[in-house]
Amino acid sequence: MRTLAYGSWPSPIDAALAAAHDGHPEYAGFVGDEAWWTEPRPTEGGRRTLVRRRADGTEEAVLPAPWNVRSRVIEYGGTPWGGAVVDGEPLVVFAHFADQRLYAYRPGGDAPRPLTPVSPVGGGLRWAEPQVRLEHGEVWCVLEEFTGDGPVDVRRVLAAVPLDGSAAQDRDGVRELTDDRHRFVSGPRLSPEGRRAAWLAWDHPRMPWDGTELLVAEVAGDGTFGEPRTVAGGPEESIAQADWSADGRLLYASDRTGWWNLYRDGEPLCPREEEFGGPLWKLGHRWFAPLEGGLIAVVHGRGATTLGILDPETGEVVDAAGPWTEFAPTLAVHGERVVAVGASPRSAYEVVELDTRTGRARVIGAPHDDPVDPAYYPEPQIRTFTGPAGREIHAHVYPPHHPACTAPGDQLPPYVVWAHGGPTQRAPLVLDLEIAYFTSRGIGVAEVDYGGSSGYGREYRNLLREQWGVVDVEDCAAVAQALADEGTADRDRLAIRGGSAGGWTAAASLATTDVYACGTIIYPILDLAGWGAGETHDFESRYLETLVGPYAEVPARYAERSPTEHADRVTAPFLLLQGLDDVICPPAQCERFLARLEGRRVPHAYIAFEGEGHGFRRAETMIRVLESELSLYAQVFGLNPPGVPTLELTK
């Protein structure tokens, strides 16, 4: 073992390696007997491709560059593809990110052909959750249609797109299955006999984890929908997902008890204080999938998720054996096969298949392959801290870790507190090479699931109601101070870092506490009044009414909590990172914040990236982000990481 100061340990996990492994498989499905999914390509401009696993076990990317299988519905997107077998060969329909049109494609055949037109109005026409309905010669999906140039000039309906391409230049060729009485809708699930459809809907100011409605309508032989009726849900009941059992009974995940549990025709199947659902940030998230034999595949847990098989007759759940400790909200079933996406603290997300007849689970796609010796991976601790008023705070603590280096015994390590986005989200306990980038150099990381995070029941989620900028800031600070009090972290070398809503928490923390020596703020919200008055997208345009309160009633609260309004209180150095194409947290937020700081001589750096939106996807961007962040900590904490370009801080 070599004795070297924290932050100066040599590591094989460089920024390029971390960037190359960013992102994970999503949106698993079946086309006939074959499992398909999407995968990121950070080194190809950050696009996502479609991958198929053939019956012989070989895996291949279906679409070459520049095809980018990604929907922009509600900006966060949703399931961007669907498929079927036609004449023994696969037919897939997908949304292409560049123009948001739906395309049909037969692998090995001609180039993808468009099925939907381009609209010059506002954000145009966007599509998600395409489902190929060969019996009608259509694709059923969610249509998001802009009616003007503003971000909230938009309507959403369920729609049917002809498979023959007759609507490729003709908006009138798209058949609407529902009216637009609801602001938001999710994709329809058709009952086994094809005569009923179920879908979710909700309206402003609610977010889908606040309250949704489960709608059911009769479907006529020609594919038209009857008048829908609400069968579950409401303003204070969130239905996260709905589907049909093989025998035609309605299944759904509701949090009416305070936890998202499964119900069948209104009766609870497995009442537990854990989640069988989650926040619907992307349309098409799936936490359960019914099997033909009557069992139900489930992604469930409390603060973490596992893959299991639920017997609805007994309420028993048998979890899949394997190393995975976290499963993403994507499931697909075919016969007795279940395909999911799982990960662990020692492995990145990979595509997993579970055979329910044998109970055997195996990796079938995107297999984890250690890019470096796993001895350099962080070793996380699952911790629960005590916050203000005695409330619990959930966190993952990643101490500095290196197989061949240790620090002098009289030193305590620097720590960076990570605040996740959302804020109604949580930090998964999985291998993240961005975390390893820091821990392998001697910098600790603490991911905080502050009050308001999902995964711990509705009561915990509701802690953030009208308390955003208070509870999240307090909880992150409580974890940081507890780590210092117990002698785990150096009290004088604490930092905070977050993106999106986490960027808000990081900036608010620098403006309202003296806990941190510096911070990294990534595509943040900084000005509540501006963000809530037309600067963001429709999906979250009224989110602040829950997180902060109605602006008309509490305008002072918006000013009181906004980092932009209190930029004069920020004295710690910071790094501000922003995508110039971000329509969720636009660059104007950063520009106003920096304007308020002008002349205050606070060391900082602002880096804006062309071609990047909300969530950086290009390898070259992520490399610069990580190296800049490390350089900030090196300068503020007095570290000496080898081989890292120096970030120029201005005053």
Side-chain angles (χ1 to χ4, degrees):
M1 297 289 288
R2 300 171 62 191
T3 300
L4 296 171
Y6 288 114
S8 64
W9 300 347
S11 173
I13 303 173
D14 61 15
L17 185 72
H21 290 79
D22 187 73
H24 59 80
E26 282 188 293
Y27 304 118
F30 278 96
V31 180
D33 293 332
E34 296 181 354
W36 293 46
W37 58 88
T38 65
E39 270 187 23
R41 295 290 186 264
T43 58
E44 298 178 17
R47 76 181 187 98
R48 297 193 70 90
T49 190
L50 194 56
V51 176
R52 69 187 289 193
R53 185 181 190 273
R54 293 179 177 271
D56 62 6
T58 57
E59 183 182 316
E60 66 181 40
V62 175
L63 290 160
W67 294 105
N68 189 353
V69 184
R70 183 175 154 216
S71 169
R72 282 190 64 181
V73 165
I74 67 170
E75 293 302 342
Y76 291 114
T79 304
W81 75 278
V85 174
V86 179
D87 298 328
E89 296 294 331
L91 168 70
V92 293
V93 173
F94 67 93
H96 178 45
F97 183 74
D99 59 16
Q100 286 300 290
R101 299 173 85 181
L102 276 184
Y103 288 81
Y105 180 56
R106 305 192 80 160
D110 296 332
R113 56 183 177 86
L115 299 181
T116 58
V118 173
S119 169
V121 180
L125 302 172
R126 300 172 177 179
W127 315 84
E129 297 188 82
Q131 303 168 36
V132 179
R133 297 291 173 198
L134 297 176
E135 69 275 23
H136 298 294
E138 295 174 327
V139 183
W140 289 9
C141 47
V142 173
L143 163 60
E144 180 177 80
E145 181 173 25
F146 280 78
T147 58
D149 293 331
V152 299
D153 297 332
V154 64
R155 62 191 293 269
R156 298 176 186 88
V157 297
L158 302 181
V161 176
L163 269 170
D164 62 9
S166 58
Q169 306 296 334
D170 180 15
R171 167 63 182 86
D172 293 336
V174 175
R175 184 170 69 92
E176 296 192 6
L177 299 169
T178 65
D179 58 27
D180 58 2
R181 71 183 72 178
H182 291 290
R183 189 71 170 189
F184 302 95
V185 291
S186 69
R189 308 299 299 182
L190 199 60
S191 61
E193 81 286 351
R195 298 196 188 102
R196 291 168 296 163
W199 67 96
L200 305 181
W202 68 96
D203 294 287
H204 283 318
R206 287 176 282 158
M207 299 300 285
W209 43 87
D210 296 323
T212 54
E213 295 178 21
L214 173 54
L215 304 175
V216 174
E218 301 296 320
V219 180
D222 61 358
T224 56
F225 282 24
E227 182 67 18
R229 66 185 192 279
T230 301
V231 298
E236 293 293 327
E237 179 185 359
S238 169
I239 311 295
Q241 183 195 334
D243 212 327
W244 302 89
S245 64
D247 60 0
R249 289 189 276 183
L250 185 60
L251 302 168
Y252 57 89
S254 164
D255 73 345
R256 62 183 58 159
T257 65
W259 298 85
W260 276 301
N261 281 186
L262 283 185
Y263 295 81
R264 183 174 63 188
D265 286 344
E267 297 297 319
L269 294 180
C270 183
R272 294 185 181 184
E273 289 192 350
E274 62 177 74
E275 309 285 30
F276 289 76
L280 198 63
W281 279 104
K282 297 180 180 181
L283 301 187
H285 274 344
R286 298 194 77 190
W287 293 270
F288 71 87
L291 291 144
E292 292 177 2
L295 301 176
I296 305 171
V298 292
V299 169
H300 70 107
R302 180 172 181 160
T305 53
T306 189
L307 174 65
I309 300 297
L310 167 65
D311 184 339
E313 305 309 322
T314 65
E316 294 181 356
V317 180
V318 177
D319 290 333
W324 312 284
T325 56
E326 182 75 35
F327 280 85
T330 182
L331 281 176
V333 297
H334 179 70
E336 300 303 316
R337 298 159 59 198
V338 180
V339 168
V341 175
S344 79
R346 309 296 291 176
S347 60
Y349 284 100
E350 45 196 2
V351 183
V352 177
E353 182 181 85
L354 172 64
D355 187 330
T356 59
R357 294 167 298 183
T358 65
R360 179 175 176 239
R362 60 184 180 133
V363 176
I364 64 164
H368 173 76
D369 183 19
D370 291 315
V372 297
D373 185 340
Y376 289 93
Y377 294 164
E379 297 183 346
Q381 303 166 357
I382 301 173
R383 299 283 304 272
T384 302
F385 295 88
T386 300
R391 65 174 177 262
E392 289 187 342
I393 308 169
H394 304 283
H396 304 146
V397 176
Y398 297 83
H401 177 74
H402 193 290
C405 288
T406 187
D410 60 347
Q411 286 189 8
L412 290 176
Y415 258 81
V416 184
V417 172
W418 284 28
H420 63 70
T424 309
Q425 194 50 278
R426 65 180 177 85
L429 188 66
V430 302
L431 176 62
D432 184 338
L433 291 185
E434 287 194 11
I435 293 176
Y437 178 77
F438 295 104
T439 57
S440 63
R441 285 170 168 77
I443 301 172
V445 172
E447 292 185 304
V448 181
D449 280 346
Y450 46 79
S453 300
S454 57
Y456 306 95
R458 188 175 186 115
E459 183 178 352
Y460 196 76
R461 284 204 316 278
N462 285 351
L463 286 175
L464 215 55
R465 283 197 168 188
E466 299 196 359
Q467 294 298 308
W468 197 37
V470 178
V471 166
D472 50 325
V473 170
E474 290 177 344
D475 286 3
C476 288
V479 170
Q481 291 171 324
L483 291 174
D485 289 344
E486 69 186 27
T488 297
D490 185 338
R491 188 180 306 276
D492 295 326
R493 296 194 294 176
L494 297 171
I496 188 163
R497 178 240 219 209
S500 189
W504 154 271
T505 301
S509 296
L510 295 182
T512 60
T513 78
D514 59 1
V515 173
Y516 309 102
C518 61
T520 301
I521 305 166
I522 309 171
Y523 39 82
I525 301 163
L526 296 168
D527 173 13
L528 292 178
W531 195 79
E535 279 190 350
T536 193
H537 61 148
D538 185 58
F539 179 58
E540 294 178 275
S541 61
R542 296 182 65 183
Y543 196 6
L544 296 183
E545 293 185 32
T546 302
L547 293 174
V548 183
Y551 181 74
E553 298 175 17
V554 290
R557 190 183 295 168
Y558 279 59
E560 175 190 338
R561 296 190 190 166
S562 293
T564 296
E565 296 293 329
H566 302 293
D568 59 315
R569 300 179 187 173
V570 177
T571 58
F574 65 88
L575 170 62
L576 184 57
L577 301 159
Q578 177 68 45
L580 291 177
D581 293 346
D582 193 339
V583 297
I584 296 173
C585 296
Q589 292 267 312
C590 293
E591 292 161 6
R592 281 200 296 275
F593 178 71
L594 292 172
R596 294 289 183 93
L597 268 173
E598 194 169 349
R600 297 200 56 81
R601 301 187 62 78
V602 177
H604 69 277
Y606 175 51
I607 307 175
F609 298 97
E610 291 187 7
E612 291 282 13
H614 198 70
F616 301 145
R617 289 177 169 81
R618 297 179 177 180
E620 59 271 24
T621 301
M622 291 182 278
I623 291 169
R624 190 172 182 200
V625 165
L626 282 175
E627 291 181 341
S628 299
E629 185 178 354
L630 180 56
S631 180
L632 171 71
Y633 304 148
Q635 294 179 58
V636 175
F637 295 156
L639 311 178
N640 185 30
V644 176
T646 299
L647 173 70
E648 183 177 345
L649 297 175
T650 60
K651 291 184 179 181

